[in-house]
Coordinates of all heavy atoms in Angstrom, one line a residue:
M1 N 138.3 73.8 75.6 CA 137.3 74.4 76.5 C 136.6 73.4 77.3 O 136.1 72.4 76.8 CB 136.3 75.2 75.6 CG 135.3 76.0 76.4 SD 134.4 77.1 75.3 CE 132.8 76.4 75.5
K2 N 136.6 73.6 78.6 CA 136.0 72.6 79.5 C 134.5 72.9 79.7 O 134.1 74.0 79.8 CB 136.7 72.7 80.9 CG 136.3 71.6 81.8 CD 137.2 71.8 83.1 CE 136.9 70.6 84.0 NZ 137.7 70.7 85.2
T3 N 133.7 71.8 79.6 CA 132.2 72.0 79.7 C 131.8 71.6 81.1 O 132.3 70.6 81.7 CB 131.5 71.0 78.7 OG1 132.0 71.3 77.4 CG2 130.0 71.2 78.8
S4 N 131.0 72.4 81.8 CA 130.5 72.1 83.1 C 129.5 70.9 83.1 O 128.9 70.6 82.0 CB 129.9 73.3 83.7 OG 128.6 73.6 83.1
Y5 N 129.3 70.3 84.2 CA 128.3 69.3 84.3 C 126.9 69.8 84.0 O 126.1 69.1 83.4 CB 128.3 68.6 85.7 CG 129.4 67.6 85.8 CD1 130.4 67.8 86.7 CD2 129.4 66.4 85.0 CE1 131.4 66.8 86.8 CE2 130.4 65.5 85.1 CZ 131.4 65.7 86.0 OH 132.4 64.8 86.2
L6 N 126.6 71.0 84.4 CA 125.3 71.6 84.1 C 125.1 71.7 82.6 O 124.0 71.3 82.1 CB 125.2 73.0 84.8 CG 124.0 73.8 84.5 CD1 122.8 73.1 85.0 CD2 124.1 75.2 85.1
E7 N 126.0 72.2 81.9 CA 125.9 72.3 80.4 C 125.8 70.9 79.8 O 125.1 70.7 78.8 CB 127.1 73.1 79.8 CG 127.1 74.6 80.2 CD 125.8 75.3 79.9 OE1 125.3 75.1 78.7 OE2 125.3 76.1 80.7
Y8 N 126.5 70.0 80.4 CA 126.5 68.6 79.8 C 125.1 68.0 80.0 O 124.5 67.4 79.1 CB 127.5 67.7 80.6 CG 127.4 66.3 80.3 CD1 127.8 65.7 79.1 CD2 126.8 65.4 81.3 CE1 127.7 64.4 78.9 CE2 126.7 64.1 81.1 CZ 127.1 63.5 79.9 OH 127.0 62.2 79.6
Y9 N 124.5 68.2 81.2 CA 123.1 67.7 81.4 C 122.1 68.4 80.6 O 121.1 67.8 80.2 CB 122.8 67.7 82.9 CG 123.5 66.6 83.7 CD1 124.3 66.9 84.7 CD2 123.3 65.3 83.3 CE1 125.0 65.9 85.4 CE2 123.9 64.3 84.0 CZ 124.8 64.6 85.1 OH 125.4 63.6 85.8
K10 N 122.3 69.7 80.4 CA 121.4 70.4 79.5 C 121.4 69.8 78.1 O 120.3 69.6 77.4 CB 121.7 71.9 79.4 CG 121.4 72.7 80.6 CD 121.8 74.1 80.4 CE 121.5 75.0 81.6 NZ 122.0 76.4 81.3
L11 N 122.6 69.5 77.6 CA 122.7 68.9 76.3 C 122.1 67.5 76.2 O 121.3 67.2 75.3 CB 124.2 68.8 75.9 CG 124.6 68.1 74.6 CD1 124.2 69.0 73.5 CD2 126.1 67.9 74.6
I12 N 122.3 66.7 77.2 CA 121.7 65.4 77.3 C 120.2 65.5 77.3 O 119.5 64.8 76.6 CB 122.2 64.6 78.5 CG1 123.7 64.3 78.4 CG2 121.5 63.3 78.7 CD1 124.2 63.5 77.2
L13 N 119.7 66.3 78.2 CA 118.2 66.4 78.3 C 117.6 66.9 77.0 O 116.5 66.5 76.6 CB 117.8 67.4 79.5 CG 118.1 66.8 80.9 CD1 117.9 67.8 81.9 CD2 117.3 65.6 81.1
D14 N 118.3 67.8 76.4 CA 117.7 68.3 75.1 C 117.7 67.2 74.0 O 116.8 67.1 73.3 CB 118.6 69.5 74.6 CG 117.9 70.4 73.6 OD1 116.7 70.5 73.7 OD2 118.6 71.0 72.8
K15 N 118.7 66.4 74.0 CA 118.8 65.3 73.0 C 117.8 64.2 73.3 O 117.4 63.5 72.4 CB 120.2 64.7 73.0 CG 121.2 65.7 72.3 CD 122.5 65.1 72.1 CE 123.4 66.1 71.4 NZ 124.6 65.4 70.7
V16 N 117.4 63.9 74.6 CA 116.5 62.8 74.9 C 115.1 63.3 75.1 O 114.2 62.6 75.5 CB 117.0 62.0 76.1 CG1 118.3 61.4 75.8 CG2 117.0 62.8 77.3
S17 N 114.8 64.6 74.7 CA 113.5 65.1 75.0 C 112.4 64.4 74.1 O 111.2 64.6 74.4 CB 113.5 66.6 74.7 OG 113.7 66.9 73.4
F18 N 112.7 63.6 73.2 CA 111.7 62.9 72.4 C 111.1 61.8 73.2 O 110.0 61.4 72.8 CB 112.4 62.3 71.1 CG 113.4 61.2 71.4 CD1 113.0 59.9 71.5 CD2 114.7 61.6 71.7 CE1 113.9 58.9 71.8 CE2 115.7 60.6 72.0 CZ 115.3 59.2 72.0
D19 N 111.6 61.3 74.2 CA 111.1 60.2 75.0 C 111.0 60.7 76.5 O 112.0 60.9 77.2 CB 112.0 59.0 74.9 CG 111.4 57.8 75.5 OD1 110.6 57.9 76.5 OD2 111.7 56.7 75.1
S20 N 109.8 60.7 77.0 CA 109.6 61.3 78.4 C 110.2 60.4 79.5 O 110.7 60.8 80.5 CB 108.1 61.5 78.7 OG 107.4 60.3 78.6
S21 N 110.2 59.0 79.3 CA 110.7 58.2 80.3 C 112.3 58.3 80.4 O 112.8 58.3 81.5 CB 110.3 56.7 80.1 OG 110.9 56.2 78.8
I22 N 112.9 58.4 79.3 CA 114.4 58.6 79.3 C 114.7 60.0 79.8 O 115.6 60.1 80.6 CB 115.0 58.5 77.8 CG1 114.8 57.0 77.3 CG2 116.4 58.8 77.8 CD1 115.1 56.9 75.8
W23 N 113.9 61.0 79.4 CA 114.1 62.3 79.9 C 114.0 62.4 81.4 O 114.8 63.0 82.1 CB 113.1 63.3 79.3 CG 113.5 64.7 79.4 CD1 114.1 65.5 78.5 CD2 113.2 65.6 80.5 NE1 114.3 66.7 79.0 CE2 113.7 66.9 80.2 CE3 112.5 65.4 81.7 CZ2 113.6 67.9 81.1 CZ3 112.4 66.5 82.6 CH2 112.9 67.8 82.2
E24 N 113.0 61.7 82.0 CA 112.8 61.7 83.5 C 114.0 61.1 84.2 O 114.5 61.6 85.2 CB 111.6 61.0 83.8 CG 110.3 61.7 83.5 CD 109.1 61.0 83.8 OE1 109.1 60.2 84.9 OE2 108.1 61.1 83.1
K25 N 114.5 60.0 83.6 CA 115.6 59.3 84.2 C 116.9 60.2 84.2 O 117.6 60.3 85.2 CB 115.9 58.0 83.5 CG 114.9 56.9 83.8 CD 115.2 55.7 82.9 CE 114.0 54.7 83.0 NZ 114.3 53.5 82.2
E26 N 117.1 60.8 83.1 CA 118.3 61.6 83.0 C 118.2 62.9 83.8 O 119.1 63.4 84.4 CB 118.5 62.1 81.5 CG 119.0 60.9 80.6 CD 120.3 60.3 81.0 OE1 121.2 61.0 81.6 OE2 120.5 59.1 80.8
Y27 N 117.0 63.4 83.9 CA 116.7 64.6 84.8 C 117.0 64.3 86.2 O 117.6 65.0 87.0 CB 115.3 65.1 84.6 CG 114.9 66.3 85.3 CD1 115.4 67.6 84.9 CD2 114.1 66.3 86.4 CE1 115.1 68.7 85.6 CE2 113.7 67.4 87.1 CZ 114.2 68.6 86.7 OH 113.9 69.7 87.4
H28 N 116.5 63.1 86.7 CA 116.7 62.7 88.1 C 118.2 62.5 88.3 O 118.7 62.9 89.4 CB 115.9 61.4 88.3 CG 116.1 60.9 89.7 ND1 115.8 61.5 90.8 CD2 116.7 59.7 90.1 CE1 116.2 60.8 91.9 NE2 116.7 59.7 91.4
K29 N 118.9 61.9 87.4 CA 120.3 61.6 87.5 C 121.0 63.0 87.6 O 121.9 63.1 88.5 CB 120.8 60.8 86.4 CG 122.3 60.4 86.5 CD 122.9 59.8 85.3 CE 122.1 59.0 84.4 NZ 122.8 58.4 83.3
A30 N 120.6 63.9 86.8 CA 121.3 65.2 86.8 C 121.1 65.9 88.1 O 122.0 66.5 88.7 CB 120.7 66.1 85.7
L31 N 119.9 65.9 88.6 CA 119.6 66.6 89.9 C 120.4 66.0 91.1 O 120.8 66.7 92.0 CB 118.1 66.6 90.2 CG 117.2 67.4 89.3 CD1 115.8 67.3 89.8 CD2 117.6 68.9 89.4
S32 N 120.6 64.6 91.0 CA 121.3 64.0 92.1 C 122.8 64.2 92.0 O 123.5 64.2 93.0 CB 121.0 62.5 92.1 OG 121.5 61.9 90.9
N33 N 123.3 64.5 90.8 CA 124.8 64.7 90.7 C 125.2 66.2 90.8 O 126.4 66.4 91.0 CB 125.2 64.2 89.3 CG 125.2 62.6 89.3 OD1 125.4 62.0 90.3 ND2 124.9 62.1 88.1
L34 N 124.3 67.1 90.5 CA 124.6 68.5 90.6 C 124.6 69.1 92.0 O 123.8 68.6 92.8 CB 123.7 69.3 89.7 CG 123.8 69.0 88.2 CD1 122.7 69.8 87.4 CD2 125.2 69.4 87.6
N35 N 125.3 70.1 92.3 CA 125.2 70.8 93.6 C 123.9 71.6 93.6 O 123.2 71.7 92.6 CB 126.4 71.6 93.9 CG 126.6 72.8 93.0 OD1 125.6 73.4 92.5 ND2 127.8 73.1 92.6
K36 N 123.5 72.1 94.7 CA 122.2 72.8 94.9 C 122.0 74.0 93.9 O 121.0 74.2 93.3 CB 122.0 73.3 96.3 CG 121.7 72.1 97.2 CD 121.5 72.6 98.7 CE 121.3 71.5 99.6 NZ 120.9 71.9 100.9
E37 N 123.1 74.8 93.7 CA 123.0 75.9 92.9 C 122.8 75.5 91.4 O 122.0 76.0 90.7 CB 124.3 76.8 93.0 CG 124.2 78.0 92.2 CD 125.5 78.8 92.3 OE1 126.2 78.7 93.3 OE2 125.8 79.6 91.3
E38 N 123.6 74.5 91.0 CA 123.5 74.0 89.6 C 122.1 73.3 89.4 O 121.5 73.5 88.3 CB 124.6 73.1 89.3 CG 125.9 73.7 89.2 CD 127.1 72.8 89.0 OE1 127.0 71.7 89.5 OE2 128.0 73.1 88.3
A39 N 121.6 72.6 90.4 CA 120.3 72.0 90.3 C 119.2 73.0 90.1 O 118.3 72.8 89.3 CB 120.0 71.1 91.5
F40 N 119.3 74.1 90.8 CA 118.3 75.2 90.7 C 118.4 75.8 89.3 O 117.3 76.0 88.7 CB 118.6 76.2 91.8 CG 117.7 77.4 91.7 CD1 116.4 77.4 92.1 CD2 118.2 78.6 91.1 CE1 115.6 78.5 92.0 CE2 117.4 79.7 91.0 CZ 116.1 79.7 91.4
L41 N 119.6 76.0 88.8 CA 119.7 76.5 87.4 C 119.2 75.5 86.4 O 118.5 76.0 85.4 CB 121.2 76.8 87.1 CG 121.7 78.0 87.9 CD1 123.2 78.1 87.7 CD2 121.0 79.3 87.6
L42 N 119.4 74.2 86.6 CA 118.8 73.2 85.7 C 117.3 73.2 85.7 O 116.6 73.1 84.7 CB 119.4 71.9 86.0 CG 118.9 70.8 85.0 CD1 119.5 71.0 83.7 CD2 119.3 69.4 85.6
K43 N 116.7 73.4 86.9 CA 115.3 73.4 87.0 C 114.7 74.6 86.3 O 113.7 74.5 85.6 CB 114.9 73.5 88.5 CG 115.1 72.2 89.2 CD 114.7 72.3 90.7 CE 115.0 71.1 91.5 NZ 114.6 71.2 92.9
Q44 N 115.4 75.8 86.4 CA 114.9 77.0 85.7 C 115.0 76.8 84.2 O 114.1 77.2 83.5 CB 115.8 78.2 86.1 CG 115.4 78.8 87.5 CD 116.2 80.0 87.7 OE1 117.4 80.1 87.4 NE2 115.6 81.0 88.4
W45 N 116.1 76.2 83.8 CA 116.3 76.0 82.3 C 115.2 75.0 81.8 O 114.6 75.3 80.7 CB 117.7 75.4 82.1 CG 117.9 74.9 80.7 CD1 118.3 75.7 79.6 CD2 117.7 73.6 80.2 NE1 118.4 74.9 78.5 CE2 118.1 73.6 78.8 CE3 117.4 72.4 80.8 CZ2 118.0 72.5 78.0 CZ3 117.3 71.2 80.0 CH2 117.6 71.3 78.6
A46 N 114.9 74.0 82.6 CA 113.9 73.0 82.1 C 112.5 73.6 82.1 O 111.8 73.4 81.1 CB 113.9 71.8 83.1
N47 N 112.2 74.5 83.0 CA 110.9 75.2 83.0 C 110.8 76.1 81.8 O 109.8 76.1 81.1 CB 110.8 76.1 84.3 CG 110.1 75.4 85.4 OD1 109.3 74.5 85.2 ND2 110.4 75.8 86.6
N48 N 111.9 76.8 81.5 CA 111.8 77.7 80.3 C 111.8 76.9 79.0 O 111.2 77.3 78.0 CB 113.0 78.6 80.3 CG 113.0 79.6 81.4 OD1 111.9 80.0 81.9 ND2 114.1 80.1 81.9
K49 N 112.5 75.8 78.9 CA 112.6 75.1 77.7 C 111.4 74.1 77.4 O 111.0 74.0 76.2 CB 113.9 74.2 77.7 CG 114.2 73.4 76.5 CD 115.3 73.9 75.8 CE 115.6 73.0 74.6 NZ 115.9 73.8 73.5
F50 N 110.9 73.5 78.4 CA 109.9 72.5 78.2 C 108.5 72.8 78.8 O 107.7 72.0 79.0 CB 110.3 71.2 78.8 CG 111.6 70.7 78.2 CD1 112.8 70.8 78.9 CD2 111.6 70.1 77.0 CE1 114.0 70.3 78.3 CE2 112.8 69.7 76.4 CZ 114.0 69.8 77.1
F51 N 108.3 74.1 79.1 CA 107.0 74.5 79.7 C 105.9 74.6 78.7 O 106.1 74.9 77.6 CB 107.2 75.9 80.4 CG 106.0 76.3 81.2 CD1 105.8 75.7 82.4 CD2 105.2 77.3 80.8 CE1 104.7 76.1 83.2 CE2 104.1 77.7 81.6 CZ 103.9 77.1 82.8
R52 N 104.7 74.3 79.1 CA 103.4 74.4 78.3 C 103.4 73.4 77.1 O 103.1 73.8 76.0 CB 103.2 75.8 77.8 CG 102.9 76.7 78.9 CD 102.5 78.1 78.3 NE 102.3 79.0 79.4 CZ 101.8 80.2 79.2 NH1 101.4 80.6 78.0 NH2 101.6 81.0 80.2
T53 N 103.7 72.2 77.3 CA 103.5 71.2 76.3 C 102.5 70.2 76.8 O 102.1 70.2 78.0 CB 104.8 70.5 75.8 OG1 105.4 69.9 77.0 CG2 105.7 71.5 75.2
D54 N 102.1 69.2 76.0 CA 101.0 68.3 76.3 C 101.3 67.3 77.5 O 100.4 67.0 78.2 CB 100.6 67.5 75.1 CG 100.1 68.4 74.0 OD1 99.6 69.5 74.4 OD2 100.1 68.0 72.9
R55 N 102.5 66.8 77.5 CA 102.8 65.7 78.4 C 103.5 66.2 79.7 O 104.6 66.9 79.6 CB 103.7 64.7 77.7 CG 103.7 63.4 78.4 CD 104.8 62.6 77.8 NE 104.3 61.7 76.8 CZ 105.0 61.1 75.9 NH1 106.3 61.4 75.8 NH2 104.5 60.3 75.0
L56 N 103.0 65.8 80.9 CA 103.7 66.2 82.1 C 104.5 65.0 82.6 O 104.2 63.9 82.4 CB 102.6 66.5 83.2 CG 101.8 67.8 82.9 CD1 100.7 67.9 84.0 CD2 102.7 69.0 82.9
M57 N 105.5 65.4 83.4 CA 106.4 64.3 84.0 C 105.6 63.6 85.1 O 104.6 64.1 85.6 CB 107.6 65.0 84.7 CG 108.6 65.4 83.8 SD 110.2 65.8 84.7 CE 109.6 66.8 86.0
T58 N 106.0 62.4 85.3 CA 105.4 61.6 86.4 C 106.5 61.0 87.2 O 107.7 61.1 86.9 CB 104.6 60.4 85.7 OG1 105.5 59.6 85.0 CG2 103.4 60.9 84.9
G59 N 106.1 60.4 88.3 CA 107.1 59.7 89.1 C 108.0 60.6 89.9 O 107.6 61.7 90.3
Q60 N 109.1 60.0 90.2 CA 110.1 60.7 91.1 C 110.6 62.0 90.6 O 110.8 63.0 91.3 CB 111.3 59.8 91.4 CG 112.2 60.3 92.5 CD 113.2 59.3 92.9 OE1 113.3 58.3 92.2 NE2 113.9 59.5 94.0
A61 N 110.8 62.1 89.3 CA 111.2 63.4 88.7 C 110.2 64.5 88.9 O 110.5 65.6 89.2 CB 111.5 63.2 87.2
K62 N 108.9 64.1 88.9 CA 107.8 65.1 89.1 C 107.8 65.6 90.6 O 107.7 66.7 90.9 CB 106.5 64.6 88.7 CG 105.3 65.6 89.0 CD 104.1 65.1 88.4 CE 102.9 66.0 88.7 NZ 103.1 67.4 88.5
R63 N 108.1 64.6 91.4 CA 108.1 65.0 92.9 C 109.3 65.9 93.1 O 109.2 66.8 94.0 CB 108.2 63.7 93.7 CG 106.9 63.0 93.8 CD 107.0 61.9 94.9 NE 108.0 60.9 94.6 CZ 107.8 59.8 93.8 NH1 106.6 59.6 93.3 NH2 108.7 58.9 93.6
Q64 N 110.4 65.7 92.4 CA 111.5 66.6 92.6 C 111.4 67.9 92.0 O 111.9 68.9 92.5 CB 112.8 65.9 92.1 CG 113.3 64.9 92.9 CD 114.7 64.4 92.5 OE1 115.1 64.6 91.3 NE2 115.5 63.9 93.3
H65 N 110.6 68.0 90.9 CA 110.5 69.2 90.2 C 109.1 69.4 89.6 O 108.9 68.9 88.5 CB 111.5 69.4 89.1 CG 111.5 70.7 88.5 ND1 112.0 71.8 89.0 CD2 111.0 71.1 87.3 CE1 111.8 72.8 88.2 NE2 111.2 72.4 87.1
D66 N 108.2 69.9 90.3 CA 106.8 70.1 89.8 C 106.8 71.2 88.8 O 107.5 72.2 88.9 CB 105.9 70.5 90.9 CG 105.6 69.3 91.9 OD1 105.6 68.2 91.4 OD2 105.4 69.6 93.0
G67 N 106.0 71.1 87.8 CA 105.8 72.1 86.8 C 106.6 71.9 85.5 O 106.4 72.7 84.6
V68 N 107.4 70.9 85.4 CA 108.2 70.7 84.1 C 107.4 69.9 83.2 O 106.9 68.8 83.6 CB 109.5 70.1 84.4 CG1 110.2 69.8 83.1 CG2 110.4 71.0 85.3
S69 N 107.2 70.3 82.0 CA 106.5 69.5 81.0 C 107.5 69.0 79.9 O 108.6 69.6 79.8 CB 105.5 70.3 80.3 OG 104.7 71.0 81.2
L70 N 107.1 68.0 79.2 CA 108.0 67.5 78.1 C 107.3 67.7 76.8 O 106.1 67.8 76.6 CB 108.2 66.0 78.3 CG 108.8 65.6 79.6 CD1 108.9 64.1 79.7 CD2 110.2 66.2 79.8
K71 N 108.2 67.7 75.8 CA 107.7 67.7 74.4 C 106.9 66.4 74.1 O 107.3 65.4 74.5 CB 108.8 67.8 73.4 CG 109.6 69.1 73.5 CD 110.8 69.0 72.5 CE 111.7 70.2 72.7 NZ 112.8 70.2 71.8
P72 N 105.8 66.5 73.4 CA 105.1 65.3 73.1 C 105.9 64.4 72.2 O 106.5 64.9 71.3 CB 103.8 65.7 72.4 CG 104.0 67.1 72.1 CD 105.1 67.7 72.9
S73 N 105.8 63.1 72.4 CA 106.6 62.2 71.5 C 105.8 62.0 70.2 O 104.6 62.0 70.2 CB 106.8 60.8 72.2 OG 105.6 60.2 72.4
K74 N 106.6 61.8 69.1 CA 106.0 61.5 67.8 C 105.8 60.0 67.7 O 106.8 59.3 67.7 CB 106.8 62.1 66.7 CG 106.9 63.6 66.8 CD 107.8 64.1 65.7 CE 108.0 65.6 65.8 NZ 108.9 66.2 64.9
R75 N 104.6 59.5 67.5 CA 104.4 58.1 67.4 C 104.4 57.7 65.9 O 103.7 58.4 65.1 CB 103.1 57.7 68.1 CG 103.2 57.9 69.6 CD 101.9 57.5 70.2 NE 101.9 57.9 71.6 CZ 101.3 57.1 72.5 NH1 100.7 56.1 72.2 NH2 101.4 57.5 73.8
K76 N 105.0 56.6 65.6 CA 104.9 56.1 64.3 C 103.7 55.1 64.2 O 103.6 54.2 65.1 CB 106.2 55.3 63.9 CG 107.4 56.2 63.8 CD 108.6 55.4 63.5 CE 109.8 56.3 63.4 NZ 111.1 55.6 63.1
E77 N 102.9 55.3 63.2 CA 101.8 54.4 63.1 C 102.1 53.1 62.3 O 102.9 53.2 61.3 CB 100.6 55.1 62.3 CG 100.1 56.3 63.2 CD 98.9 56.9 62.6 OE1 98.2 56.2 61.8 OE2 98.6 58.0 62.9
A78 N 101.6 52.0 62.7 CA 101.8 50.8 62.0 C 101.2 50.8 60.6 O 100.1 51.3 60.4 CB 101.3 49.6 62.8
I79 N 101.9 50.2 59.6 CA 101.4 50.1 58.3 C 100.6 48.9 58.1 O 100.9 47.8 58.5 CB 102.5 50.3 57.2 CG1 103.1 51.7 57.5 CG2 102.0 50.2 55.8 CD1 104.3 51.9 56.6

């Protein structure tokens, strides 16, 4: 079974959602590589999946897609 680039980027974004800086880089890369229709679908998916959490995107990814939020990262405290 062949996987589309859209599904591939959804998988990648889901796996790196623990770190907002990595997520932003991958999101930007995905938007630049997908065609307009697929980019629109990815934006909708990201809105539905990551909406209403504590941390908002910054930088170029935010300019490309306002309104997408990320899952808050879990910080390990030093012992």
Side-chain angles (χ1 to χ4, degrees):
M1 186 167 114
K2 191 174 182 179
T3 304
S4 70
Y5 280 114
L6 176 60
E7 293 303 317
Y8 170 75
Y9 284 121
K10 285 180 184 180
L11 179 68
I12 295 299
L13 290 171
D14 202 30
K15 288 187 177 197
V16 299
S17 64
F18 66 92
D19 186 333
S20 63
S21 63
I22 296 172
W23 195 94
E24 288 179 35
K25 290 176 187 177
E26 292 297 328
Y27 183 73
H28 176 64
K29 187 188 329 180
L31 291 180
S32 66
N33 289 329
L34 295 173
N35 64 39
K36 288 183 181 185
E37 182 181 335
E38 289 174 327
F40 177 77
L41 293 172
L42 183 67
K43 288 177 184 182
Q44 284 185 322
W45 173 83
N47 268 334
N48 292 333
K49 181 109 176 139
F50 300 105
F51 189 72
R52 292 188 185 191
T53 57
D54 296 337
R55 196 192 263 162
L56 294 176
M57 284 193 310
T58 58
Q60 189 170 10
K62 181 171 175 47
R63 286 191 296 274
Q64 283 191 337
H65 184 76
D66 289 329
V68 175
S69 315
L70 301 179
K71 296 177 184 176
S73 64
K74 296 177 183 175
R75 296 181 185 215
K76 294 181 181 177
E77 295 188 22
I79 299 175

